[in-house]
Amino acid sequence: MSAVTIELGSDGILVATMDLPGRPMNVVGDALMDGIAAAIERLADPKALGLILTSAKADFCAGGDLDSMSKWTRPEQPFEASMAMKKVLRQLELQGKPVVSAINGHALGGGLEIALACHARIAMADPRLKIGQPEVKLGLLPGGGGTQRLPRLVGIQQALQIMVEGNDMSPQQAQKIGLVADLAADRAELMAKARAWVLAHPAAKQPWDEPRFRFPGGDSRSPAVAQLFTVAPSMASAKSWGNYPAIQHIMSSVFEGGLLDFDSACIVESRYFAACSMSPESRNLIATMWYQLNAIKKGASRPAGVPASKVKKLGILGAGMMGGGIAYVSAKAGIEVVLLDTSAEAAARGKAYSQGLLDKAVTKGRSTPDKRDALLARITPTTDYALLAGCELVIEAVFEDRAIKAEVTKKAEGVLGASATFASNTSTLPITGLAQASVRPKNFIGLHFFSPVDKMPLVEIIVGAQTSDETLAHGFDYVLQIGKTPIVVNDSRGFYTSRVFATYLAEGIAMLKEGVHPRSIEVAGQQAGMPMPPLALQDEVSLSLSLHVFEQTRKDLAAEGKTVVEHPGTSVVRQLCEIGRVGKKAGKGFYDWGPEGRTLWPELTKLYPPAAQQPDQRELIDRLMFAQANEAARCWQEKVLRSVADANIGSIFGWGFAPFQGGALQFIDAMGAKAFVVRARELAAKFGPRFEPAALVVEQAEKGGRFAD
């Protein structure tokens, strides 16, 4: 069965419909390109006046076939594959007859590159339809001519922004910049407009094949573009710290291509595509952000055999920032929300959080007053527990205090149905212990959201000792229902994300205590690829909250007859809290926080004087990364983690573990267990037993093996 069906209409127009057998989406590979090549052969028929390329699937084309790409082991393979795709697309645009892409769904990556090789693009006017070049997010660049066609179509500056940022466009945005020629309301109009375009342009040519072609806005020699290239690489490097080579390769491909004829430029692009494809950064990103993420979204961590469910009515206990955020994302998903707090004023403030977000969206044109009002109508602020009746799920988001959580649990369960699920949004307190306040511990689960809820993509689902599979499945389905990514972990103190994230903050603070200059610490965090440096991030989290969690842990362990080993950084947090520097919420912590942003507290270096001899930045980076990866390995060893995918995705989405490393466990796999153990022991000898490698990693080093095996 062919990947492309071809029909010649009575009007002389060929319609080539992409429909890759056995795949839910069209992806660029040999089968699809062979089908397009067959359509080009048919286009040579004198009876054929032109060609419309469209899709029988919901989307136009999703991009490259990563299954095939992951098997490449030599740079010649991606280079040759890239050139082979371009050979077909070049034939498509040089056939001498008009070719139009009728974009009926998402056109991303290689899919957009196919559309760019057509003389015109007409798209459905659905604002949910995505058009873009997201390859950079997987450490790649557009290798089917995208880095050469796009700049020649919309200009170098616009093209660089599209490719380097990797963000999607709506059809309306694409039309505005000249990427799409026209929009259609439905499939019938889409095809009608495509036919009309073919008949109106019998001698269509690509702009870059015209003898007097000029780049919109100038090529790489023009003063304006030359100035752009003197600034853009350094700006990109300042943001990425050189951790994402695909960004530099995209810029190089566009710059060099802007000095060459189109066909020579395409060869240059294929060389850079090969460099990206073979990079460890791309391998890490594809393994985690494609394969593992998709496995999670398809339910790899969900109990099998439990029927799918949807929440129609949700109760939220606590209308603070977390509760208000959960209310917003749930109402946005169409769920009726009861937002409960101890006073009507507090509950109303929780609903006002949604109002603020929606008002901004309306002001920026991303929503309408009617949509805003409809969403707000789904949120009912209250102090009355009776309104929780009929809720399939209740989420407790009150203060991290066992007694308070136990009290609201009992009150809520008094009105809930027998099958309703009760979830705690705790970030550190063990779920099994909290479930002791419940009369139905099998229906009790942890749903750990991240702040701000409307922006953070992850929810950590924590399974207690008595949590049933049905309850886990119910929680998993709800997380997907609100558009978040779920990871599933077993119960323990701090669970997975909070436990490992804390090591990043604590290690940075320990460095300060040792006499490392605070600026060196912060730069090391950024060089490592973390979204925020450790001291600034600790201010954001709040020093007082971290101290509260430590003291609560110490008390809990003391009750069990155990003692907690205090991290060297804890005394620093305690000292700053004692002088009122508790973090951003107070306007002062390691930084002074003001309307203009943050600046390191000038007295910090007096309180912790920098040593005369400062350590190498590489050592600082290693400490920050090894602290996290080693703790993640311990979580796997202790069976807190249930899957490698949950570990890696949880680390990237939960606290921003350097994405180019592929996640906390992939960091170890990519380095190799032997090398990790050697370096970890060097750090342990110098900075203490917290760096002693996890026993499981030592075993991997001795016997071979990886977490991904």
Side-chain angles (χ1 to χ4, degrees), residues 110-169:
L112 179 57
E113 291 185 286
I114 291 172
L116 287 171
C118 300
H119 300 109
R121 288 148 296 283
I122 299 172
M124 298 278 277
D126 184 349
R128 293 170 297 181
L129 190 155
K130 297 176 182 177
I131 296 173
Q133 301 276 203
E135 288 93 339
V136 71
K137 294 182 178 179
L138 293 178
L140 298 170
L141 60 72
T147 68
Q148 303 310 319
R149 288 188 177 92
L150 197 57
R152 286 167 170 80
L153 188 65
V154 302
I156 285 177
Q157 183 170 352
Q158 182 78 65
L160 279 175
Q161 184 177 347
I162 291 168
M163 290 184 284
V164 168
E165 293 180 1
N167 295 327
D168 306 325
M169 288 177 284

Side-chain angles (χ1 to χ4, degrees), residues 67-88:
D67 289 341
S68 297
M69 293 166 63
S70 64
K71 296 180 175 69
W72 291 336
T73 57
R74 297 175 291 106
E76 294 89 345
Q77 293 168 299
F79 177 83
E80 290 165 4
S82 172
M83 291 302 295
M85 178 182 178
K86 279 188 277 232
K87 181 180 178 182
V88 174

Side-chain angles (χ1 to χ4, degrees), residues 10 58 77 91 112 127 163 190 208 225 228 303 315 334 343 346 351 386 413 479 488 526 546 551 569 589 595 689 703:
S10 58
Q77 293 168 299
Q91 291 171 347
L112 179 57
M163 290 184 284
L190 179 71
W208 43 90
V225 175
L228 169 69
S343 71
K351 181 172 180 176
E413 286 189 339
V479 174
V488 181
Q526 293 174 298
S546 293
E551 294 299 342
K703 299 180 180 179

Side-chain angles (χ1 to χ4, degrees), residues 462-518:
I462 305 103
V463 179
Q466 298 183 61
T467 303
S468 69
D469 280 354
E470 290 75 17
T471 298
L472 171 55
H474 191 198
F476 194 97
D477 293 345
Y478 162 72
V479 174
L480 290 180
Q481 186 180 348
I482 60 173
K484 302 292 185 184
T485 299
I487 64 164
V488 181
V489 304
N490 290 323
D491 194 20
S492 76
R493 191 170 303 281
F495 319 128
Y496 169 58
T497 57
S498 295
R499 174 174 163 179
V500 182
F501 168 61
T503 65
Y504 172 62
L505 304 182
E507 201 58 36
I509 298 168
M511 293 174 186
L512 181 71
K513 184 178 181 180
E514 294 165 15
V516 179
H517 196 288

